[in-house]
Amino acid sequence: MADRFPSPFEIQTPAGAEGWQELYTYSLPFSTDRREYEDSMFWFQDGVHWPEVLSPWDATFFEFALASLSQYNTRHYLIPPALGVDFRVLNGYAYLSPVGVADPAEIEARVPQFLERAGFYFQNWASLYEQWMGKIRSLIGEMEALSFEPLPDAEDLAVVTEGRGMGSGFELQRQYHRLVDLALQLWQYHFEFLNLGYAAYLDFFGFCKQAFPSIPDLAIAKMVAGVEVDLFQPDEELKKLARLAVASRVDGAFDQPSAAAVMEGLRASEDGRAWLSQWEASAQPWFNFSAGSGFYHTDEVWLEHLEIPFGFVRDYIAKLREGVDISRPIEAIRAERDRIVAEYGELLATDEDRAAFEQKLGLARVVFPYVENHNFYVEHWSHSVLWRKMRQLGGVLAKEGFFGGETDIFLLKRDEVPEALWDYYSAWAVGVKPRGPAYWGRELERRRGILTALRSWSPPPALGRPPEVVTEPFTIMLWGITGESVKQWLGAGDAGGDGILRGFAASPGVAEGPARVIFSADQIGEIQAGEILVAPLTAPSWAPIFGKIGATVTDVGGMMAHAAIVCREYGLPAVTGTAFGTKTIKTGQRIRVDGNQGTVTILES
Amino acid sequence: MSFVCWLDGYDPAQRARLGGKNASLGEMLAAGLPVPPGFAVTVDAYHTVRGHPEVRQAVVGLLGEVDLADPAALEELSAAIRRRIEQVPLDDGVAAAVASAYTELCERCQLDAVPVAVRSSATSEDLPDASFAGEHDTYLWVRGADEVLAHLTRCWSSLFTARAIAYRRERGYDHDVVAMSVGIQKMVRPTASGVAFTLNPRDGDRSQVAVEAAWGFGEGIVSGEVTPDSFLVDKVLGEIVQRIISDKAVEYRLGDGDRVERVEVDEARRTVPSLTDDQVKAVARLARRAERHYRCPQDVEWALDADLPGDQAVTLLQARPETVWSRKAARPVAAAGDPMASIVATLLSPLHTRGSSDTPGP
């Protein structure tokens, strides 16, 4: 087995992708300018959040997220052993490298500052979290208020009569700058609590592992997990709507296959219109829910792709017609959680341990609502708004002939958009034709070719020399990467051949069934009842299909992958982070998923 | 005076009449632990024999004459007393009560001439060290009322084995300090059997039950001849968190004439799990019940009884306190205190966050 992954400098550019580096901020690609440093680090591909090639504008959230995460560790809370997580793009794919504090004296020196700063957050968590909820909602309000309109032939008379002294072209550029600022602000908010939340969770986790060396990770997760979580709310809203459809007898409308036909059917009756107004009420904010991770402009949002939520409503209606109870047994879930906590508590050896257990669990539960809920507000709701606004801007430029369609704007880097807007504005101001249509028409063609070439390349899971053991807490928690997974990646080329894939035992139970390998939300419709879902990763918004499948296998993610949480909620076995699930397993193969041991066995080929 | 007492109707007040072994079986049944059904022949029955003039005379007379320092003489004495006990005619009331209870046991088990274990259960309330565990006789695979009665008297007479006599003499105890109750309990014909610990023997983790299992009787596991299938069950989640299936080349099972014989396992069954997942969980639940009942970690012997329906087949054969980890003083893992200090420590020290990382691989 090899003891290291290829150096980033050994990786070749795929044919046809020459010049890909220009598609990203100059600091993103590996470069000989920093070769010594970059070669000394261990980099892993972040398949949890960015499993696919980043288009130039989509790299924005990647950069904002990683810089914000890092900033809190390094500069706000001074996490004693951890600086930030460095980030690069190689052949279009996202790579990360956690940076530790090497000097023990410096670690020591950071401790008192961490105690004071992080301590303040832990002590005032509830009020700070409430404040956060206010901040994020007002931020989303500002995002919603952004508007991108084509520049008028003549300014409104009011611009003159009110003596405003500035015009639409200026406003258009300002709105874009505002959008970028709001996006960075969003990511600042995202990490205000997250790392501290995970630190408190890890403290409880470590205690449980010491007290019960063989305790399954998921038992710990179950003790901390909230019962009513915002991430489950979109699914709850769908169930509510399905019940309403059946109760008010408009469920027949869902017998139509297309979303447009369903809408038409509903609009035709009084009850149907009442149902639609309830739909509107649920949709904001709950259907700002991405069918993907929310990190790609191509991720489909329920609100804009009604066939997705309508399909789920249709499934729920079918269950209701069969007399199936589709509600979440909240009381039973709560009782089960209390039972688990009480029983582990009883099994502790001393009263002192019981006191520590309760204290740590208490803190973990105080911080966990943020860990569980932030994802809906940031990656789903806010990103949905930002993608929508960006498409609106793309539409404006497309109308002017810069682009073939509104989504072409994502082929521009975020700092190229102001140049295009300048071109549009200045030509409009002068009253002549912009260069944009010719310039971008040519350039985007080239970029599409590069991205296509990059997409056909398969990124290695990691680069450089791995550490002996992975000890960096956030790497383990957020990305599910351990010494074991690194070893597994290294050994992958050696073809173990025992037909067994290993990953995280993310949700308990054992199930056998035919596999269904899918790569994106578009393929959700292919899944048949009783099949085992095999996917690179699953999004929380796929929740309704968990009522139908037998188990889940993912390539990436750990215990805290959003999908792992949903699987535990649905009581389905899940193995996450198998690295090669979608590459190894074929649709139709019978597989056995052991969510207790984290293994997936291919039973027949 | 009653000569027979059903184990599932055990009354703690009767402990002195049933002996330690029977009392503990009765307690287990009362606690919902599925030990095989059976009844106790009380010490009152023993006294009908011990009080018989011939027996009394033999004990007093013979004991007086023998030089206990002479092993051969002691053996001879023991044999003479035991012969006398086994030969005096059995009290009619005792014989009738035991035969009728045996018939009822056959009915309860829905088996003709149900095979039973006839087990000594000495009483020694005042002398906790004088019960000579294992010194008294136990007879397995006894079938039919006549055979049961014959072995009953042998159990009684085992109070006068050479070692028992010598021991009492050494300690200066009267020979009537111990009386004998006898347990008559259904024999289990196991499809699979094994042991279970209510903690993880590898690391002492009290939240796990370790189950070892192999085909047939447990002899192969106890002797180390068979590498058992090994399972780890989380007590709280009730889930199997580790499963290692071994190649089980031999098994011990019941052959002709109720003899336990060693046979090679068919190729097809060797690497098949000897327990289904549901059975593993049932064994773990049973061990956990025993632990709750005795309030300390247990080392349990169990079997799947082929005579019982699948969902009730898991049977408890024996439970005793676990000794290796239980002897270690409980040391707290961490004290409740400054949560921040603990969080700093967590961030600074390497995390062992992956439960399966230290489990043996394939």
Side-chain angles (χ1 to χ4, degrees), chain A residues 48-49 198 231 375 476-480 504 506 536-540 554 556-568 575-577:
Chain A
V48 175
H49 306 95
Y198 275 120
L231 211 51
N375 181 252
I476 301 167
M477 234 26 242
L478 296 170
W479 286 280
F504 279 87
L537 74 169
T538 68
T554 69
V556 293
M559 288 305 302
M560 284 294 139
H562 305 117
I565 295 170
V566 178
C567 275
R568 287 196 288 273
V575 177
T576 58

Side-chain angles (χ1 to χ4, degrees), chain B residues 16-318:
Chain B
R17 296 173 61 235
L18 299 191
K21 177 82 193 164
N22 284 333
S24 106
L25 288 170
E27 267 177 37
M28 287 157 105
L29 279 167
L33 293 166
V35 297
F39 58 91
V41 181
T42 66
V43 292
D44 300 329
Y46 168 73
H47 287 306
T48 63
V49 172
R50 181 66 182 87
H52 194 282
E54 279 183 39
V55 172
R56 238 187 333 219
Q57 193 191 346
V59 172
V60 176
L62 294 173
L63 276 172
E65 296 159 15
V66 171
D67 174 6
L68 292 174
D70 175 356
L74 184 58
E75 284 296 342
E76 209 173 300
L77 165 73
S78 162
I81 295 176
R82 293 193 68 179
R83 217 162 28 240
R84 196 65 57 88
I85 291 173
E86 289 163 25
Q87 279 168 1
V88 297
L90 201 55
D91 177 274
D92 288 346
V94 172
V98 172
S100 131
Y102 177 76
T103 307
E104 190 181 334
L105 184 63
C106 292
E107 283 163 12
R108 283 198 192 186
C109 299
Q110 295 180 302
L111 289 171
D112 293 332
V114 62
V116 292
V118 180
R119 242 187 267 275
S120 310
S121 174
T123 70
S124 46
E125 288 300 294
D126 312 331
L127 296 167
D129 61 338
S131 60
F132 310 114
E135 302 276 324
H136 303 133
D137 288 351
T138 287
Y139 302 95
L140 304 178
W141 302 104
V142 177
R143 287 182 193 257
D146 292 344
E147 283 298 301
V148 168
L149 290 171
H151 287 90
L152 170 66
T153 59
R154 281 184 215 161
C155 272
W156 286 338
S157 80
S158 69
L159 268 180
F160 291 91
T161 59
R163 283 188 65 181
I165 295 168
Y167 182 84
R168 286 192 293 265
R169 174 60 64 89
E170 255 171 51
R171 296 286 172 109
Y173 294 148
D174 184 88
H175 284 288
D176 277 332
V177 78
V178 185
M180 187 64 89
S181 168
V182 173
I184 313 290
Q185 201 185 9
K186 178 187 182 295
M187 285 301 295
V188 174
R189 196 162 55 86
T191 50
S193 57
V195 294
F197 300 91
T198 62
L199 46 71
N200 183 338
R202 199 186 60 212
D203 54 23
D205 187 337
R206 293 274 317 268
S207 71
Q208 317 272 312
V209 179
V211 176
E212 294 193 336
W215 299 117
F217 287 94
E219 269 88 342
I221 298 183
V222 175
S223 68
E225 189 180 0
V226 176
T227 305
D229 295 332
S230 158
F231 306 88
L232 217 45
V233 182
D234 186 273
K235 280 178 191 171
V236 180
L237 300 182
E239 298 286 349
I240 301 168
V241 293
Q242 190 192 84
R243 180 188 289 105
I244 299 168
I245 307 304
S246 312
D247 182 352
K248 302 167 287 292
V250 294
E251 74 175 300
Y252 285 82
R253 62 182 188 207
L254 201 62
D256 295 340
D258 285 341
R259 238 196 305 271
V260 177
E261 57 187 23
R262 178 183 184 279
V263 293
E264 305 238 319
V265 178
D266 315 332
E267 196 63 40
R269 275 201 317 149
R270 281 170 59 156
T271 53
V272 170
S274 50
L275 292 179
T276 64
D277 284 4
D278 284 345
Q279 288 167 338
V280 172
K281 291 177 190 174
V283 169
R285 280 196 300 273
L286 173 151
R288 176 96 167 106
R289 274 211 296 278
E291 177 183 51
R292 283 210 156 119
H293 175 62
Y294 293 111
R295 295 167 184 278
C296 69
Q298 296 290 301
D299 168 352
V300 158
E301 282 176 33
W302 58 268
L304 288 190
D305 191 341
D307 298 327
L308 294 174
D311 56 340
Q312 299 158 35
V314 178
T315 304
L316 178 62
L317 302 180
Q318 193 162 18

Side-chain angles (χ1 to χ4, degrees), chain A residues 48 198 201-202 205 209 215-222 225 368 371-372 475-482 503-508 554 556-568 574-577 595-598, chain B residues 237 353-356:
Chain A
V48 175
Y198 275 120
Y201 179 76
L202 280 174
F205 191 97
K209 285 282 173 185
I215 190 172
D217 295 2
L218 63 96
I220 305 171
K222 278 191 163 193
F368 221 58
V371 174
E372 289 175 317
T475 311
I476 301 167
M477 234 26 242
L478 296 170
W479 286 280
I481 292 170
T482 64
F504 279 87
S507 182
T554 69
V556 293
M559 288 305 302
M560 284 294 139
H562 305 117
I565 295 170
V566 178
C567 275
R568 287 196 288 273
V575 177
T576 58
N596 306 317
Q597 301 185 82
Chain B
L237 300 182
T353 54
R354 192 145 181 200
S356 58

Side-chain angles (χ1 to χ4, degrees), chain A residues 203 214 344 353 360 594 596, chain B residues 205 234 240 243 333 342 346:
Chain A
D203 186 43
S214 310
Y344 281 115
D353 278 343
K360 289 172 195 298
D594 189 330
N596 306 317
Chain B
D205 187 337
D234 186 273
I240 301 168
R243 180 188 289 105
V333 168
S342 169
T346 294

